[in-house]
Amino acid sequence: MGSAEQMGSVIETDVLIVGGGLAGLNAAIAAAEHGVSVVIMDKGGIARSGAMGGGIDHFTAYLETGEEWDTREAYLQNLGKVARGAVDLKVHNAIYCRELKGSIERLARIGNPLTQPDGTFYRTRSMGRDGPLSINFNGKKLKPRLADEVRRLGVRALEKVMTTSLLTRDGQVIGAMGFSIRTGDLHVVHAKATVLSTGRVDRLFETPTGIPFNTWQCPSDTGGAQAMAFRAGAALANMEYVLVSVVPKGFSAAGLNGLTGMGARLVNALGEEYMIRYHPHGSRAPRFKLAEGALTEIREGRGPIYVDCRHLSPAELEHLNMTLGYDKDTLPDFVRQKGIDLAKDPLELQVSEGAIGGPTGGLGSGIMIDERSAATVPGLFAGGDCTDQAGTCAPSVTSGYAAGKQAAKYASTVSSKKEIDWEQAAAERARVLAPMETKPGVHYREIEDVVQKIMWQGVGPARNELGLRKAIEKLDSVEPHLGDIGARDYHELMRANETRDLVLIGKIMASCALYRKESRFGAAHFRVDYPKTDDENWLGLVAARRNGEQIETSLKRLSYEMPEP
Amino acid sequence: MPPVFDAGKCDGCGICDLHCPIDVIAIDEERRLAFARYSEECWHCGSCRQDCPTGAVDIVFPKKMLLV
């Protein structure tokens, strides 16, 4: 029987935010501006945590300058085309379009404007857009500036605290609990509204270099929010899509957008700008097309592939060299240590490991949210990459802010919180801390390596029914061995709990991929046994919900009318 | 391998440790020196180097990444 005394201190708040990355900090600002009390829980430190912590170089926005491609309608029309079958335009309109102008102003106000020093926007075109909708900017201080603003507003941040479980009562979310990865202290946060914003799933697939943390996006992002929400009964969507990118050989790093946006060409071993064969935008095609092109070129023997900047003008090269480290701070170091000069040498590329991070730019994979940023379980909201309708930089900023605002509004309507179910909390504590008692136990990597191999082999960029069924069977057979993982300290306890989440997320992904009997978004969901896109039967979101210990899948159909502003 | 700390410059203030998003870094309190406790978990994001007040951090990529 659990009790408050056994569980350490309980923190009372109006709004709890789990995950202090780009979306989470914008959520915290919104909620605090609404006048409610706010607590953030983060596995890292909020100044640099999350996928954008070290920096970011572009922000997708239409600016309504009068050009026909520069409007809300043109943006949504393009997204409805590029992300057809995954984007819910009404929701995306609410969490991105309605918050865009305010977000651009907010970033300027907190001291990291999207403009160049002369006050203008440097705009480039890439990733399948109809116009130059990418604002190139120096976002190396974006996270620290947001963290300063969050602290100025009086938000309490619990840093180096891993959140493991949502607290529920009568089917409603009433907060969350977690532990300090340094001291092991338990933290129970009792909240009127909870926002989840822990990002993508980046450690689910085997990596090409064999270094598990050499991942394109943040390897701390292991689907904590998706796993927690699913366990609490919330629906997830867009979970079947595997996101692979094209990255420098040896270094799974972001930054390709900056290169192709500047006009760099992707070329194969024959010197052909091969992307022309896959998409009318060539090297500026959407990411899932870039992945499909790279996979095909290499498979058909036309690799190695390169990114070639040699034709760029001196001014373009200068801008490129100046901004190359904005997205990935250490990419210039890597290029230099490899002995490459982009003005003279093409840079060899590879296909990255897989991830769950939305089917295409601007979208995410995870908690299904509505126009009020609400999950399908009361009291729960979400923003950023861990939702089905927002992903990458700009939508994380806007959807985080929207989620914080909606959570604060909801909290204002709750007069008294439902009591914590201490039995539930005690059971969760026992589950989470178990690896500390398992002696000697196996190292978490031993299990996670297997999970990553199962996922890459069975649930990667080419899939079929038998392969997916086998992957689910294998993950089922891994599950009992999770209890063998031992942790020698609280850092390893964090990893052990992440591995456990990854097994659940892997099963959800495979189940959704098995359910969707068609192919969509190039390599993101390519069913060898159903190679065509089938809008008649599959134009919509695959939702995954928990039914006891089973994963239940269903289709939520989408239609494509232009939403009201 | 990365990050590498210059013992002559690092005063063990702990900013890199707090800011590391992966929890790679720890502080040797006796020697007042940062070190990469879980170096194989480094994401090479460069946050430690960007925020180091004494310029003590260098990023040296492992040969496994450079030579492949």
Side-chain angles (χ1 to χ4, degrees):
Chain A
M1 182 80 180
S3 71
E5 288 70 42
Q6 280 184 309
M7 302 295 296
S9 61
V10 177
I11 297 166
E12 299 289 340
T13 187
D14 293 323
V15 172
L16 165 65
I17 290 157
V18 178
L22 198 53
L25 293 191
N26 279 282
I29 291 171
E33 284 174 353
H34 217 81
V36 300
S37 59
V38 185
V39 171
I40 301 178
M41 296 167 89
D42 194 313
K43 278 197 285 198
I46 61 168
R48 290 293 186 186
S49 58
M52 312 288 178
I56 175 73
D57 71 342
H58 66 281
F59 184 100
T60 303
Y62 56 85
L63 297 174
E64 293 172 322
T65 53
E67 301 284 346
E68 60 180 65
W69 47 263
D70 212 11
T71 63
R72 182 190 75 99
E73 287 73 19
Y75 168 85
L76 287 176
Q77 218 149 39
N78 176 270
L79 194 65
K81 215 166 52 189
V82 175
R84 193 173 157 84
V87 65
D88 184 328
L89 287 183
K90 255 193 205 153
V91 177
H92 195 81
N93 180 60
I95 63 171
Y96 172 74
C97 299
R98 284 190 192 138
E99 299 294 343
L100 182 58
K101 197 160 176 282
S103 290
I104 293 172
E105 287 164 7
R106 181 168 62 257
L107 299 188
R109 184 166 49 76
I110 60 140
N112 202 134
L114 301 178
T115 45
Q116 299 293 306
D118 66 2
T120 61
F121 291 105
Y122 194 105
R123 306 178 77 186
T124 62
R125 184 169 73 91
S126 64
M127 300 294 162
R129 309 283 185 197
D130 287 336
L133 291 184
S134 241
I135 300 172
N136 209 230
F137 79 111
N138 182 352
K140 293 182 80 156
K141 291 281 184 203
L142 182 55
K143 274 301 309 290
R145 293 282 177 272
L146 284 165
D148 289 346
E149 175 68 0
V150 158
R151 293 189 209 278
R152 191 185 68 78
L153 290 166
V155 171
R156 179 170 177 193
L158 302 174
E159 299 176 291
K160 306 278 180 194
V161 172
M162 179 185 191
T163 308
T164 55
S165 333
L166 291 172
L167 302 170
T168 58
R169 174 75 100 174
D170 307 330
Q172 204 173 318
V173 173
I174 54 165
M177 59 185 276
F179 66 92
S180 161
I181 64 169
R182 290 298 168 80
T183 64
D185 291 345
L186 282 172
H187 295 270
V188 176
V189 182
H190 193 201
K192 290 178 176 170
T194 302
V195 177
L196 296 179
S197 47
T198 70
R200 320 174 354 142
V201 187
D202 285 299
R203 226 169 63 222
L204 189 53
F205 290 88
E206 191 177 16
T207 63
T209 52
I211 304 172
F213 285 70
N214 182 8
T215 54
W216 177 45
Q217 298 291 337
C218 186
S220 277
D221 290 359
T222 47
Q226 290 90 330
M228 263 181 268
F230 182 83
R231 289 190 188 106
L236 308 182
N238 279 343
M239 291 295 285
E240 62 273 42
Y241 300 113
V242 57
L243 181 58
V244 291
S245 191
V246 184
V247 296
K249 183 92 177 171
F251 188 19
S252 211
L256 187 70
N257 191 46
L259 289 163
T260 56
M262 200 58 64
R265 292 180 190 138
L266 303 178
V267 296
N268 64 15
L270 308 175
E272 301 164 327
E273 194 176 353
Y274 61 86
M275 278 310 300
I276 297 294
R277 288 201 297 277
Y278 301 86
H279 195 272
H281 290 182
S283 299
R284 300 178 200 240
R287 194 180 306 282
F288 67 84
K289 277 284 162 193
L290 297 182
E292 186 192 334
L295 283 162
T296 309
E297 292 302 300
I298 292 168
R299 190 177 57 240
E300 294 183 355
R302 290 187 294 277
I305 55 168
Y306 296 87
V307 62
D308 192 346
C309 302
R310 290 176 297 179
H311 59 285
L312 297 181
S313 72
E316 285 168 328
L317 275 167
E318 195 192 322
H319 187 82
L320 187 62
N321 279 322
M322 186 179 76
T323 57
L324 190 61
Y326 286 0
D327 211 25
K328 187 77 182 185
D329 181 67
T330 59
L331 183 54
D333 299 84
F334 179 77
V335 171
R336 199 177 325 111
Q337 287 175 33
K338 228 177 131 70
I340 297 278
D341 174 359
L342 290 176
K344 294 191 195 115
D345 313 304
L347 177 67
E348 190 179 346
L349 301 173
Q350 69 185 18
V351 176
S352 76
E353 72 291 336
I356 306 183
T360 184
L363 290 200
S365 294
I367 300 151
M368 192 188 250
I369 53 169
D370 66 13
E371 289 167 80
R372 295 167 304 110
S373 306
T376 56
V377 173
L380 189 61
F381 299 81
D385 285 285
C386 72
T387 72
D388 63 334
Q389 294 300 317
T392 63
C393 177
S396 290
V397 170
T398 60
S399 69
Y401 194 83
K405 196 159 69 178
Q406 296 291 349
K409 273 191 200 166
Y410 178 89
S412 307
T413 67
V414 176
S415 49
S416 68
K417 289 179 243 182
K418 289 184 192 286
E419 291 219 2
I420 292 172
D421 175 349
W422 289 110
E423 265 183 69
Q424 180 192 56
E428 275 304 287
R429 183 181 68 160
R431 179 183 77 91
V432 167
L433 297 183
M436 295 302 286
E437 309 301 326
T438 307
K439 297 211 164 85
V442 299
H443 194 254
Y444 83 95
R445 278 251 58 90
E446 207 171 309
I447 305 292
E448 202 174 288
D449 284 348
V450 173
V451 173
Q452 291 175 337
K453 277 198 198 299
I454 294 170
M455 291 303 292
W456 189 239
Q457 287 164 15
V459 200
R463 303 157 163 187
N464 61 54
E465 170 143 1
L466 182 65
L468 290 166
R469 283 196 191 283
K470 283 285 160 199
I472 295 170
E473 263 175 44
K474 286 176 188 171
L475 291 171
D476 278 339
S477 68
V478 164
E479 221 156 31
H481 296 276
L482 287 169
D484 299 336
I485 299 178
R488 289 165 295 189
D489 56 28
Y490 298 110
H491 175 94
E492 288 190 358
L493 183 63
M494 163 173 66
R495 298 287 178 242
N497 277 282
E498 289 170 345
T499 302
R500 193 179 338 216
D501 284 349
L502 289 170
V503 173
L504 173 63
I505 298 288
K507 278 168 63 174
I508 295 170
M509 182 186 214
S511 302
C512 293
L514 182 64
Y515 179 73
R516 186 183 281 280
K517 291 183 177 56
E518 62 144 9
S519 292
R520 199 171 280 271
F521 305 124
H525 178 64
F526 179 57
R527 283 285 301 258
V528 176
D529 42 359
Y530 299 95
K532 294 241 159 56
T533 299
D534 173 7
D535 275 349
E536 201 179 313
N537 292 304
W538 293 102
L539 187 66
L541 296 163
V542 171
R545 284 184 189 81
R546 178 181 164 177
N547 181 2
E549 292 309 303
Q550 300 299 311
I551 298 164
E552 212 171 69
T553 43
S554 60
L555 185 74
K556 184 191 170 194
R557 288 191 176 274
L558 293 169
S559 60
Y560 283 88
E561 299 89 40
M562 183 60 58
E564 292 298 312
Chain B
M1 185 72 186
V4 178
F5 299 89
D6 182 335
K9 289 182 185 165
C10 175
D11 61 8
C13 74
I15 287 177
C16 54
D17 173 20
L18 176 63
H19 288 190
C20 174
I22 322 291
D23 196 39
V24 163
I25 301 167
I27 305 297
D28 180 335
E29 290 294 346
E30 230 164 76
R31 296 171 60 208
R32 299 295 302 160
L33 185 65
F35 68 102
R37 173 176 276 167
Y38 303 97
S39 59
E40 73 285 2
E41 295 182 356
C42 180
W43 182 40
H44 317 102
C45 70
S47 293
C48 50
R49 181 175 63 181
Q50 284 189 66
D51 298 340
C52 176
T54 62
V57 185
D58 206 3
I59 303 292
V60 181
F61 281 91
K63 299 212 184 308
K64 207 171 172 178
M65 290 172 70
L66 289 171
L67 300 178
V68 65

